[in-house]
Amino acid sequence: MPTTRARRRTGAGASAQAMADTIRATERRKQHLTALWALPLLVIPTAVTAGYLAAITTNRQAGIAVTIVVTVLALRRIYRTKGSTWATGAAGERRTRRILAPLVWCGLGRWAVLHDRQIPRSRANLDHLVIGRCGPVYIDTKTWKAKNAKVHLRRGQLWYGKHPQQKTLDTVLWEASRAAEVLGHPVLPVVAVHYAAVPAGGLISSGVTIIPAGELRGFLRALPKAPGWNRARIASARRLADQHLRPA
């Protein structure tokens, strides 16, 4: 049945996309308000004047064309978007979801994958939680697009271009620890990087593994099996996570 209310997004990147949508809606309202006063006071008089000058120096058709072009350019400037890091992050999480999906499709119960789960008693969320015979793994997606900015270590500390990332790793460690509290088992923290160059084989800093997102499946499959993590325990851990880590 049709409805005027937007359906709530779920799945990978849902909470980041919701924030991006909220920011975009606020931006759009401000643009509408700008257009309400700018159109009659600035845009239309300027466009008409430019069109008139073009008409008297060339012909009427040129004047109309200039009026339209000036109006369109002004509206495009008013309604241009600055973009959002939240939208970029949401898109990255969806890419990670697609990378991880074959584990579930072909895993025959050997993998459970959860996306965008709320941390109890917190406003934070877990990007991706993977549970397999290696035990539980927390994956935080980073979409780093700065040109020529490489991911590297400097004196054992993680850097993205000229920007230190220790706070990022501290957050990932905290998020993994909260997942471990729920599951009653240590959780391996991983950062999956989209776009930015990460050395082949990945990096390790502060106990966090940093790898290119495209290598995630191979990395997970290569992890050693943890004692006792069979299909039954994976399914049990999945139920426990579903119970305590609600979709964000």
Side-chain angles (χ1 to χ4, degrees):
M1 182 177 178
T3 178
T4 57
R5 296 183 62 185
R7 182 174 295 178
R8 183 180 183 274
R9 298 173 184 266
T10 58
S15 56
Q17 188 61 56
M19 181 62 73
D21 292 343
T22 299
I23 293 171
R24 183 67 182 114
T26 300
E27 181 183 45
R28 183 65 79 189
R29 285 194 295 270
K30 291 180 179 178
Q31 290 168 336
H32 289 332
L33 291 174
T34 299
L36 282 175
W37 67 263
L39 279 173
L41 295 180
L42 295 176
V43 176
I44 293 176
T46 300
V48 170
T49 300
Y52 173 74
L53 292 174
I56 62 176
T57 55
T58 53
N59 55 54
R60 183 167 176 254
Q61 288 74 19
I64 293 172
V66 168
T67 300
I68 293 172
V69 169
V70 171
T71 302
V72 169
L73 290 176
L75 287 173
R76 287 185 64 182
R77 184 173 181 82
I78 290 172
Y79 282 97
R80 65 182 177 180
T81 179
K82 298 177 181 178
S84 167
T85 56
W86 289 99
T88 300
E93 290 182 38
R94 290 192 290 269
R95 291 188 189 94
T96 301
R97 176 198 64 196
R98 291 192 289 269
I99 290 170
L100 295 173
L103 293 177
V104 179
W105 300 340
C106 308
L108 301 175
R110 290 176 293 184
W111 298 96
V113 182
L114 298 85
H115 304 286
D116 204 13
R117 295 303 177 104
Q118 187 75 36
I119 295 175
R121 302 178 300 279
S122 170
R123 297 178 65 181
N125 68 293
L126 303 172
D127 287 356
H128 319 274
L129 184 62
V130 178
I131 307 169
R133 292 187 172 182
C134 56
V137 180
Y138 170 56
I139 300 168
D140 185 81
T141 290
K142 293 300 176 192
T143 306
W144 288 338
K145 288 186 172 183
K147 291 183 179 180
N148 302 320
K150 296 181 180 180
V151 182
H152 61 282
L153 296 181
R154 186 184 301 174
R155 298 188 182 92
Q157 301 298 308
L158 183 69
W159 288 69
Y160 166 46
K162 298 180 180 179
H163 306 285
Q165 297 298 320
Q166 188 57 48
K167 288 185 178 180
T168 295
L169 298 185
D170 290 342
T171 299
V172 171
L173 287 167
W174 177 80
E175 290 167 343
S177 71
R178 297 304 303 275
E181 289 178 10
V182 169
L183 298 177
H185 190 278
V187 174
L188 178 67
V190 174
V191 170
V193 178
H194 291 278
Y195 298 111
V198 180
L203 304 168
I204 297 178
S205 179
S206 298
V208 179
T209 301
I210 304 98
I211 61 173
E215 296 181 8
L216 264 177
R217 288 200 306 272
F219 169 81
L220 291 167
R221 287 170 173 153
L223 289 174
K225 295 180 180 179
W229 282 90
N230 52 24
R231 285 184 176 86
R233 187 170 182 184
I234 292 168
S236 176
R238 168 63 189 263
R239 290 192 295 270
L240 191 63
D242 281 334
Q243 180 181 357
H244 295 285
L245 300 171
R246 301 291 186 180

